[in-house]
């Protein structure tokens, strides 16, 4: 089972959301979370680039068996005044093979790459 716990607070006009995603299953799980806030979100950034796990208001990542992973974002949108409102929801989970979670295995599946011969012109 995949479960989430989330906290949200508002400071200086910004909503801060933190989420803990836990996987109690025996296999790695690919989990997709979506913000339930009505407006833009600001995912974490590395320099000037959003982290690759984020696509608009959706986060997708792999949680290994028996592990918990933290996720967070901010938003200019205020939290709804609704008791029990969660700032995120799980929209998808699927089991993934161990080879899909190992970076070396993923790279090993990639084919070799060579620049096209046209780039070099013909030799005499």
């Amino acid at each position: 089972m995949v479960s989430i716990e989330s906290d949200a607070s508002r400071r200086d006009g910004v909503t801060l959301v933190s989420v803990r995603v836990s996987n109690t299953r025996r296999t790695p799980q690919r989990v997709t979370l979506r913000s339930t806030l009505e407006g833009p979100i600001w995912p974490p950034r590395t320099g000037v680039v959003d982290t690759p796990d984020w696509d608009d208001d959706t986060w997708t990542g792999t949680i290994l068996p028996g592990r918990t992973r933290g996720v967070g974002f901010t938003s200019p949108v205020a939290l709804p005044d609704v008791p029990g409102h969660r700032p995120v929801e799980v929209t998808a989970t699927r089991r993934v093979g161990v080879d899909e979670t190992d970076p070396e295995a993923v790279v090993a599946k990639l084919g070799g790459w060579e620049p096209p011969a046209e780039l070099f012109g013909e030799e005499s």
Side-chain angles (χ1 to χ4, degrees), residues 7 36 41-42 46 60 62 105 116 118-119 124:
D7 298 311
T36 60
I41 69 159
W42 301 324
T46 304
T60 302
T62 300
E118 304 85 54
L119 290 177
S124 307

Side-chain angles (χ1 to χ4, degrees), residues 92-120:
T93 61
R94 76 173 176 88
R95 190 183 100 183
V96 294
V98 173
D99 61 330
E100 292 180 70
T101 63
D102 178 20
E104 290 180 15
V106 171
V107 171
K109 286 182 180 179
L110 298 175
W113 183 84
E114 297 177 0
E118 304 85 54
L119 290 177
F120 299 105

Side-chain angles (χ1 to χ4, degrees), residues 28-115:
Q29 299 291 312
R30 175 87 53 189
V31 179
T32 302
L33 304 176
R34 185 184 68 78
S35 168
T36 60
L37 299 179
E38 296 291 329
I41 69 159
W42 301 324
R45 301 188 86 149
T46 304
V48 295
V49 178
D50 291 347
T51 55
D53 294 345
W54 285 92
D55 184 20
D56 293 326
D57 66 347
T58 304
W59 176 87
T60 302
T62 300
I63 314 297
L64 297 176
R67 302 296 299 266
T68 298
R69 187 167 170 187
V71 179
F73 63 90
T74 59
S75 176
V77 177
L79 293 166
D81 192 17
V82 177
H85 177 266
R86 291 183 136 185
V88 294
E89 64 183 357
V90 176
T91 59
T93 61
R94 76 173 176 88
R95 190 183 100 183
V96 294
V98 173
D99 61 330
E100 292 180 70
T101 63
D102 178 20
E104 290 180 15
V106 171
V107 171
K109 286 182 180 179
L110 298 175
W113 183 84
E114 297 177 0

